[in-house]
Amino acid sequence: MAPDADIDFGEREDLQRLIDLVRPALESDTAGKAGVTGVLGFFERFGRQVIGIADDAYQMLVFTGQLIVALGRTLGDPRRLRMTPLVAFMQDAGINGLPIVFIMTFFIGAVIALVGTNLLTTLGVEVFTIQLVGVAILREFGVVITAILLSGRSASSFAAQIGSMRMNQETDAMQVMGVDRFDALVIPRILAALLMMPLMTFCADIGGLAGGLLVSWVTIDISPVFFIQRTLETVDIKHFWIGMCKAPFLALIIAAAGCRHGLMVGGDVQSLGQNVTSAVVQSIFMVIMFDAIFAVIFMALDL
């Protein structure tokens, strides 16, 4: 059968979906091409890398468009949302990650307070350690550390879960049966990350401030009551809201990276491992990049 042959199944939409599913395999060129060596080989590999990056960017745009359409359908008809997997992913991605988020930011806050104390004591203004800890944790480190931990835990988990379904051809069976993969696999994970990221960020802020409070109490004898009182008086609430407003956006790009790479998994274990690794690396890179973009925007807005 020619790959580009048009087959009319009448009203049999399931058969048409099956043909659409296997058509890329029919169109693939299995002959292969001998590799070029030397200088020409270097430029050929470089060109293929550039084309691969451009193709990955295009696929990212396609996935983003499909995600927006799926979210719009879900918002227009909330009955499409699967509540059982949503609650399960909220527990797995959010509730179960609260202890490690709190502990990690606790030590981050302690390190910031320790470094600030050593530096500011030489200037005779060690009391400003409180402002340093408050602004650093509420504005930057709370949300960024949470996002990095979410990338390591949830992006890899999402990619592995969906990738294993791809390897077992479960997603192909869903497509043949007419089940939308975005509604069943992507939307619950995206919404779970969006809902739980602010809670995790708030827990991270508490942990970071607690770490700074403990170090300030032990090293420069600042009482917990004075630490809390001065934090409320000198650290503007806008720093808290700046950190919180970044949380949903970072959660979206993390969950989207995990789901997209999960759907890109082929039929072998090597493809699964590569895409899980790519999901984590890409999500962490996007978190750092967009946090820098937010910092420039807030600086331009004088916030």
Side-chain angles (χ1 to χ4, degrees):
M1 182 180 69
D4 57 350
D6 294 329
I7 305 175
D8 185 14
F9 292 103
E11 297 182 356
R12 294 295 302 275
E13 297 182 359
D14 54 343
L15 296 179
Q16 187 61 51
R17 287 194 296 268
L18 179 61
I19 289 298
D20 294 338
L21 182 65
V22 302
R23 190 182 299 276
L26 298 175
E27 295 175 350
S28 62
D29 183 15
T30 58
K33 182 180 179 180
V36 182
T37 59
V39 178
L40 292 179
F42 169 78
F43 284 107
E44 180 188 13
R45 291 190 297 272
F46 180 77
R48 290 184 183 276
Q49 290 292 331
V50 173
I51 293 175
I53 294 174
D55 182 67
D56 187 68
Y58 173 76
Q59 295 298 329
M60 185 184 300
L61 292 177
V62 171
F63 179 86
T64 303
Q66 293 174 334
L67 178 59
I68 293 174
V69 172
L71 286 172
R73 286 199 308 261
T74 303
L75 293 176
D77 184 11
R79 292 175 298 178
R80 300 175 65 96
L81 180 62
R82 290 164 167 80
M83 293 302 300
T84 300
L86 174 62
V87 175
F89 293 134
M90 288 176 63
Q91 178 178 357
D92 181 57
I95 302 299
N96 294 343
L98 290 179
I100 185 63
V101 168
F102 182 89
I103 294 173
M104 183 69 71
T105 52
F106 177 87
F107 287 111
I108 293 293
V111 170
I112 294 174
L114 188 61
V115 173
T117 298
N118 291 335
L119 177 63
L120 297 176
T121 300
T122 60
L123 303 176
V125 289
E126 61 271 11
V127 71
F128 286 102
T129 302
I130 300 174
Q131 287 95 310
L132 175 64
V133 172
V135 173
I137 292 297
L138 296 179
R139 190 181 182 103
E140 291 293 335
F141 285 101
V143 64
V144 171
I145 295 300
T146 302
I148 291 175
L149 290 175
L150 187 68
S151 300
R153 292 185 72 257
S154 299
S156 59
S157 175
F158 293 167
Q161 290 169 356
I162 298 177
S164 63
M165 296 180 67
R166 289 276 296 170
M167 291 177 58
N168 296 329
Q169 300 181 343
E170 296 177 36
T171 57
D172 297 338
M174 293 170 59
Q175 185 175 347
V176 172
M177 291 186 297
V179 178
D180 191 277
R181 296 182 300 174
F182 274 77
D183 289 343
L185 302 177
V186 177
I187 296 301
R189 290 173 168 85
I190 296 289
L191 293 180
L194 285 173
L195 293 174
M196 297 309 299
M197 182 68 174
L199 175 62
M200 298 173 68
T201 302
F202 180 77
C203 181
D205 292 341
I206 299 299
L209 293 176
L213 184 151
L214 180 62
V215 170
S216 301
W217 189 13
V218 172
T219 57
I220 54 179
D221 198 25
I222 292 180
S223 68
V225 175
F226 180 76
F227 185 98
I228 296 173
Q229 181 181 1
R230 187 166 179 84
T231 299
L232 295 175
E233 291 176 353
T234 60
V235 179
D236 201 316
I237 191 63
K238 71 177 182 180
H239 300 299
F240 170 76
W241 290 115
I242 286 174
M244 292 297 292
C245 75
K246 292 188 286 187
F249 186 82
L250 296 181
L252 178 62
I253 62 176
I254 292 169
C259 294
R260 186 176 78 89
H261 283 281
L263 292 173
M264 292 172 58
V265 172
D268 56 350
V269 178
Q270 182 179 3
S271 175
L272 177 63
Q274 290 176 347
N275 280 281
V276 170
T277 303
S278 298
V280 176
V281 173
Q282 186 180 83
S283 59
I284 293 178
F285 172 79
M286 297 288 281
V287 164
I288 301 300
M289 183 183 71
F290 278 100
D291 182 68
I293 293 174
F294 275 119
V296 174
I297 293 175
F298 289 136
M299 183 178 65
L301 296 176
D302 196 20
L303 294 175

